[in-house]
């Protein structure tokens, strides 16, 4: 996925976008962050900024944005902590956390200006595009149960795609050619929107390429897969994913936000970034967002412990038969050097593989919001699972290198 940065704002336009508006009050802190209450509601009054305000959560995958590692990094607990400290002390990230194989590392603060230490691995954060791995797993459950065929036309399950030749497999693999819907949405007062109306915007634009001929990351693919789950299961995709993924793994701290819900439930760190509706205000508190609208492409809220449990459960065969997991990770597209993906990267069904400096790779997804970035996944070499996240956008430059360095150091440590 290409990224077109808006100069000086830290906000990305085009296919990676952000959402929300709201009034800013508060004072400057020593970090340059304006702390204070914001609302995450969507309202009108800023038509000139409509293209700037789409959802950055719908980025491809933070874990896939690092440059290839030329040589093995130092690995181990000290190396993990060093990367987090660099994120905070050198890169200006308010808070950072890594959770690997039962051990938690933190740096920075949970809330600017308060001195509160960074939260632990039981605190909640927005998964952003990590949600796609959950959605893909649910689709594969339907495939295993004989309710969905991978090579069937997606229009068999999604009436809006009835005139399209796009298949279910192409949606999962980001090879459908459906354009990115988030850049087409009027987040500043349009709507009310539904998943169906979001899809209609994309279909009105037309194909980016003929189905199956290219690879192109688009959140519209997973928006359509959510609608497919609705039809094939007879349940709303949120309910179906809760029943087939969250409950079997006991992910009690993972949930879908309710309509109109802006806050995060329970313990959580605050998030900071350029508010997409008013980037000129500088870096502000962007903790509150309308997460319900992020849907099957990016709506889940979870904890590092729950996310690691998901990765372990998926790849240990607790959610799907081994043959289904193999299909997710072997029917892949080489995306080396494509968009933000480093050499050696492959994209499967809602999961991507990233090489490790110590050999092997890890499978995961990842995502970005104006107020957080997340990376990590499950190592193929028996090295376990890791989640690393920051409380501000960290998908470029030194921030990205240090976040990715923490993932690599954690998974390359001797167990």
């Amino acid at each position: 996925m290409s990224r077109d940065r808006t100069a000086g704002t830290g906000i990305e336009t085009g296919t990676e976008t952000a959402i929300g508006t709201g009034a800013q009050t508060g004072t400057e802190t020593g970090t340059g962050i304006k702390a204070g209450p914001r609302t995450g509601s969507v309202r009108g009054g800023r038509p000139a900024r409509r293209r700037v305000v789409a959802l950055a959560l719908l980025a491809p995958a933070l874990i896939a944005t690092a440059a290839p590692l030329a040589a093995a990094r130092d690995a181990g607990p000290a190396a993990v902590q060093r990367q987090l400290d660099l994120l905070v002390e050198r890169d200006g990230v308010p808070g950072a956390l890594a959770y690997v194989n039962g051990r938690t590392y933190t740096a920075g603060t949970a809330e600017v200006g308060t001195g509160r230490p960074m939260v632990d691995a039981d605190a909640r954060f927005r998964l952003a595009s990590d949600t796609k791995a959950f959605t893909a797993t649910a689709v594969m459950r339907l495939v295993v149960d004989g309710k969905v065929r991978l090579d069937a036309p997606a229009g068999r399950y999604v009436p809006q795609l009835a005139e399209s030749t796009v298949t279910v497999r192409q949606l999962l693999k980001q090879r459908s050619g459906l354009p990115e819907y988030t850049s087409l949405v009027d987040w500043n007062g349009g709507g009310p929107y539904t998943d169906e109306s979001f899809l209609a915007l994309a279909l009105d634009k037309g194909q980016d390429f003929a189905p199956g001929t290219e690879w192109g990351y688009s959140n519209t693919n997973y928006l359509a897969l959510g609608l497919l789950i609705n039809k094939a299961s007879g349940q709303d995709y949120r309910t179906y994913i809760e029943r087939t993924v969250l409950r079997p793994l006991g992910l009690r701290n993972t949930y879908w936000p309710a309509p109109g819900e802006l806050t995060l439930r329970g313990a959580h760190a605050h998030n900071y970034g350029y508010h997409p509706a008013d980037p000129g205000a500088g870096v502000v508190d962007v903790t509150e967002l309308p997460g319900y609208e992020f849907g099957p492409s990016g709506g889940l809220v979870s904890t590092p412990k729950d996310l690691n449990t998901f990765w372990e459960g998926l790849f240990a065969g607790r959610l799907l038969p081994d043959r289904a997991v193999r299909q997710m990770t072997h029917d892949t597209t080489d995306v080396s050097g494509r968009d933000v993906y480093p050499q050696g990267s492959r994209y499967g069904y809602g999961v991507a593989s990233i090489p490790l400096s110590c050999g092997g790779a890890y499978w995961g997804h990842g995502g970005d919001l104006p107020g957080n970035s997340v990376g990590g996944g499950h190592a193929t070499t028996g090295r376990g699972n890791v989640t690393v996240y920051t409380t501000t956008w960290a998908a470029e430059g030194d921030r990205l290198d240090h976040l990715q360095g923490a993932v690599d150091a954690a998974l390359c440590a001797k167990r």
Side-chain angles (χ1 to χ4, degrees):
M1 165 181 181
S2 62
R3 292 181 171 184
D4 176 19
R5 279 182 63 83
T6 299
T9 67
I11 299 298
E12 298 179 1
T13 61
T15 51
E16 177 172 323
T17 48
I19 185 172
T21 66
Q24 160 71 33
T25 62
T27 58
E28 296 280 356
T29 70
T31 64
I33 293 173
K34 294 180 180 178
R38 291 197 68 94
T39 66
S41 59
V42 178
R43 59 191 187 188
R46 301 179 189 270
R49 290 184 175 137
R50 289 174 184 170
R51 281 305 182 94
V52 182
V53 294
L55 266 175
L57 92 130
L58 307 175
L62 177 64
I63 61 168
T65 59
L69 297 169
R73 301 177 187 269
D74 293 335
V80 177
Q81 189 63 56
R82 182 163 57 251
Q83 297 297 319
L84 298 187
D85 290 343
L86 287 170
L87 280 163
V88 171
E89 297 168 9
R90 182 180 297 179
D91 303 335
V93 169
L97 180 147
Y99 181 68
V100 57
N101 301 327
R103 181 167 181 173
T104 304
Y105 304 82
T106 64
T109 182
E111 185 177 4
V112 169
T114 67
R116 275 207 303 136
M118 185 57 179
V119 293
D120 62 22
D122 289 313
R124 283 162 169 153
F125 70 106
R126 299 185 192 278
L127 289 190
S129 282
D130 260 328
T131 303
K132 291 179 176 65
F134 290 73
T135 300
T137 300
V139 171
M140 291 304 292
R141 180 74 261 169
L142 290 166
V143 171
V144 169
D145 291 344
K147 296 182 178 180
V148 168
R149 291 183 57 240
L150 286 172
D151 291 317
R156 178 179 298 180
Y157 314 99
V158 184
Q160 285 173 277
L161 296 176
E163 302 303 316
S164 171
T165 63
V166 170
T167 67
V168 176
R169 190 190 304 271
Q170 289 164 348
L171 293 174
L172 286 165
K173 296 179 67 176
Q174 305 276 13
R175 294 180 64 91
S176 73
L178 292 175
E180 179 59 56
Y181 79 91
T182 62
S183 62
L184 306 173
V185 175
D186 176 7
W187 297 108
N188 281 317
Y193 290 108
T194 64
D195 291 335
E196 290 82 0
S197 62
F198 285 146
L199 180 56
L201 289 173
L203 295 178
D204 285 345
K205 183 180 178 184
Q207 295 282 133
D208 284 346
F209 52 82
T213 62
E214 287 285 348
W215 180 91
Y217 189 97
S218 172
N219 294 284
T220 308
N221 291 317
Y222 280 75
L223 175 72
L225 288 170
L227 295 173
L228 175 148
I229 293 171
N230 293 351
K231 177 70 172 181
S233 72
Q235 296 179 307
D236 178 80
Y237 64 82
R238 294 177 177 86
T239 302
Y240 185 76
I241 290 173
E242 287 175 1
R243 181 170 68 82
T244 61
V245 180
L246 306 189
R247 292 178 191 169
L249 295 179
L251 305 185
R252 295 180 180 84
N253 290 314
T254 302
Y255 68 92
W256 296 100
E261 184 176 15
L262 304 179
T263 61
L264 294 170
R265 303 172 195 172
H268 61 273
H270 283 237
N271 300 104
Y272 302 92
Y274 291 89
H275 198 280
D278 192 10
V283 178
V284 296
D285 190 314
V286 290
T287 307
E288 295 188 354
L289 289 172
Y292 181 84
E293 298 182 24
F294 300 172
S297 291
L300 278 172
V301 175
S302 189
T303 69
K305 283 186 179 179
D306 270 12
L307 184 54
N308 279 15
T309 298
F310 167 73
W311 293 129
E312 180 65 29
L314 174 61
F315 290 102
R318 295 178 57 193
L319 296 172
L320 297 169
D322 288 345
R323 69 180 187 278
V325 177
R326 283 197 302 272
Q327 196 157 25
M328 293 175 73
T329 57
H330 284 68
D331 182 11
T332 61
T333 301
D334 183 352
V335 292
S336 296
R338 295 286 306 273
D339 298 327
V340 296
Y341 287 86
Q343 291 299 314
S345 299
R346 302 195 68 88
Y347 198 95
Y349 298 3
V351 289
S353 67
I354 310 300
L356 287 168
S357 65
C358 53
Y362 66 98
W363 283 94
H365 205 280
D368 307 297
L369 279 166
N372 77 288
S373 287
V374 55
H378 175 82
T380 60
T381 51
R383 295 177 177 271
N385 312 279
V386 64
T387 292
V388 179
Y389 81 91
T390 59
T391 60
T392 193
W393 186 80
E396 187 178 68
D398 288 344
R399 288 182 177 186
L400 174 59
D401 187 56
H402 295 145
L403 191 152
Q404 182 67 23
V407 172
D408 191 80
L411 290 178
C412 285
K414 293 181 180 179
R415 297 188 64 183

